[in-house]
Amino acid sequence: ELKVEQNPLFLSMQEGKNYTIYCNYSTTSDRLYWYRQDPGKSLESLFVLLSNGAVKQEGRLMASLDTKARLSTLHITAAVHDLSATYFCAVDFYSGYALNFGKGTSLLVTP
Amino acid sequence: GAGVSQTPSNKVTEKGKYVELRCDPISGHTALYWYRQSLGQGPEFLIYFQGTGAADDSGLPNDRFFAVRPEGSVSTLKIQRTERGDSAVYLCASSPGGTGSTEAFFGQGTRLTVV
């Protein structure tokens, strides 16, 4: 069965703190994507990770991919309120087009 | 257009009625996808078009759901005899197509409510 599991599903953190969101998946893949979704809005592409060891950074967010461990992480550095949103990881298992999404991590950054 | 456009943004319909949801992809994108997102869940794949043809419709839940893309651009998702369980946000996405990254660009979605 093709599974994508994120944890935690809910995260409340203080501004200025660091935290990591984890995305585990069930079967080999080297195509993983992170998306952000604000309430009532669509999904915004954040990172595209296409090889083992890939690391990408944008502002306070950094994503990495370990295909051997079937694990991706999204690290948040010195969180700010504007990062409050739901973050999804999505994996392309073999098909080359269909994405399997995790349930999402709902992040709330508080003062 | 600049992004993927979906209409309507909201649709309320009575159980048993027929609905059509429209998607206008990014200009030049040959690949088009429909996903469905239920409350508190990640999007679930429904159907994929490459050009005019449905290359994979394995995600459609049953034969009440059908999608077309007659000219390889705009797509319409059609739902017959709607049921309350069909209530969800229907997301359309497009990508340039071809091999390599399957990064998809999503529209704002159509929130369908079946009452």
Side-chain angles (χ1 to χ4, degrees):
Chain A
E1 186 182 355
L2 304 178
K3 281 187 176 179
V4 179
E5 294 185 342
Q6 288 182 237
N7 72 85
L9 297 181
F10 298 96
L11 175 58
S12 179
M13 57 189 298
Q14 284 186 313
E15 283 186 328
K17 299 292 187 183
N18 305 332
Y19 207 84
T20 300
I21 299 170
Y22 297 89
C23 175
N24 292 274
Y25 53 96
S26 58
T27 307
T28 302
S29 172
D30 57 3
R31 297 183 181 190
L32 190 138
Y33 306 83
W34 284 95
Y35 285 87
R36 168 182 171 146
Q37 187 175 40
D38 291 284
K41 305 292 186 183
S42 190
L43 293 106
E44 173 191 355
S45 179
L46 292 176
F47 299 108
V48 178
L49 303 169
L50 298 178
S51 62
N52 186 39
V55 177
K56 292 199 175 178
Q57 182 163 5
E58 180 72 34
R60 300 174 188 274
L61 301 177
M62 183 173 71
S64 66
L65 178 62
D66 181 343
T67 59
K68 294 180 182 177
R70 300 176 192 165
L71 171 68
S72 179
T73 60
L74 180 66
H75 187 72
I76 303 157
T77 301
V80 293
H81 179 69
D82 285 352
L83 290 179
S84 297
T86 299
Y87 293 85
F88 291 96
C89 66
V91 179
D92 172 6
F93 290 117
Y94 314 130
S95 72
Y97 47 85
L99 294 177
N100 292 70
F101 283 80
K103 289 189 174 183
T105 296
S106 181
L107 171 66
L108 176 64
V109 181
T110 58
Chain B
V4 178
S5 176
Q6 292 186 245
T7 54
S9 54
N10 282 284
K11 176 72 177 178
V12 180
T13 191
E14 291 181 346
K15 180 175 176 293
K17 298 290 188 183
Y18 168 83
V19 296
E20 289 189 352
L21 312 180
R22 176 188 166 107
C23 173
D24 199 341
I26 293 172
S27 178
H29 281 190
T30 59
L32 185 145
Y33 319 81
W34 284 96
Y35 286 81
R36 179 168 72 173
Q37 186 176 22
S38 300
L39 191 63
Q41 302 294 318
E44 294 177 298
F45 170 77
L46 295 177
I47 187 170
Y48 158 62
F49 287 90
Q50 182 59 252
T52 60
D56 184 347
D57 64 358
S58 62
L60 295 178
N62 52 60
D63 61 6
R64 295 187 296 105
F65 289 74
F66 189 70
V68 295
R69 194 186 185 198
E71 298 178 356
S73 179
V74 171
S75 176
T76 304
L77 178 65
K78 308 181 181 193
I79 310 174
Q80 298 178 319
R81 304 184 302 281
T82 52
E83 299 177 356
R84 291 197 178 87
D86 298 336
S87 297
V89 176
Y90 289 81
L91 294 167
C92 177
S94 69
S95 67
T99 57
S101 168
T102 41
E103 183 185 18
F105 299 88
F106 284 81
Q108 297 280 70
T110 293
R111 181 175 299 278
L112 176 66
T113 304
V114 182
V115 296

